[in-house]
Amino acid sequence: MGEFRVKKRETGATATLKRNGHPALSTPTGGALSVVTAASEPGFNPLDLLYASLSACLVLSARIAASQMGVLDRFEKAEASVTGEKSESDTARITRFDIRLTISGDFDQEMKRAIAHKAEDICTVSNTLRGESQFNLTID
């Protein structure tokens, strides 16, 4: 099996919020997204984006895991549904992530579990959320 190489891409996000309206997000690669704030408004709010990042990373990592394990030819699809529980204390944070990872293909349960656990190990977002990242805040 050949060596797996990851092509680097510029990453990051900038949020802009005017006196009125919703936050607008942009990426260095030209991506754009409006963020919603009302509970009944369709779209992504900041917590949805956190859950979306984790779910997207996990499905991509599941496909990478299947490839590294030599079973990509049997891989059909991966779907990750992520929700969570928000703290009821004064510190606003997510205290628990609830993840349902569905792996479709010609696999028994043991192989699905192996792919899922390898995906967790590969996923940059899950590794970051479990870690103790530093925050370096600069005020302009």
Side-chain angles (χ1 to χ4, degrees):
M1 180 169 37
E3 183 179 321
F4 182 75
R5 291 180 293 175
V6 176
K7 183 178 178 184
K8 299 282 183 174
R9 115 184 212 133
E10 192 173 0
T11 61
T14 299
T16 304
L17 177 65
K18 297 181 180 177
R19 187 165 55 92
N20 294 312
H22 294 338
L25 300 177
S26 62
T27 67
T29 58
L33 179 70
S34 291
V35 176
V36 300
T37 55
S40 62
E41 210 169 1
F44 288 93
N45 69 29
L47 288 181
D48 293 329
L49 292 168
L50 178 64
Y51 297 145
S53 293
L54 180 54
S55 64
C57 189
L58 285 169
V59 296
L60 288 166
S61 297
R63 186 173 65 189
I64 292 168
S67 177
Q68 289 179 352
M69 297 166 75
V71 295
L72 186 59
D73 60 326
R74 299 184 337 213
F75 181 92
E76 291 175 13
K77 168 174 91 164
E79 182 177 305
S81 178
V82 178
T83 60
E85 184 173 307
K86 191 172 176 182
S87 171
E88 294 184 20
S89 70
D90 290 340
T91 303
R93 66 187 187 93
I94 301 300
T95 58
R96 187 185 74 236
F97 290 91
D98 297 315
I99 305 162
R100 176 178 293 280
L101 183 57
T102 304
I103 299 168
S104 301
D106 184 20
F107 304 119
D108 60 18
Q109 282 304 112
E110 185 177 326
M111 180 57 78
K112 288 180 181 183
R113 257 191 305 281
I115 293 169
H117 289 299
K118 189 166 184 77
E120 277 190 295
D121 292 341
I122 293 169
C123 177
T124 302
V125 175
S126 66
N127 289 330
T128 301
L129 291 170
R130 283 192 177 100
E132 297 180 18
S133 298
Q134 295 180 10
F135 286 71
N136 297 317
L137 178 64
T138 302
I139 311 297
D140 289 332

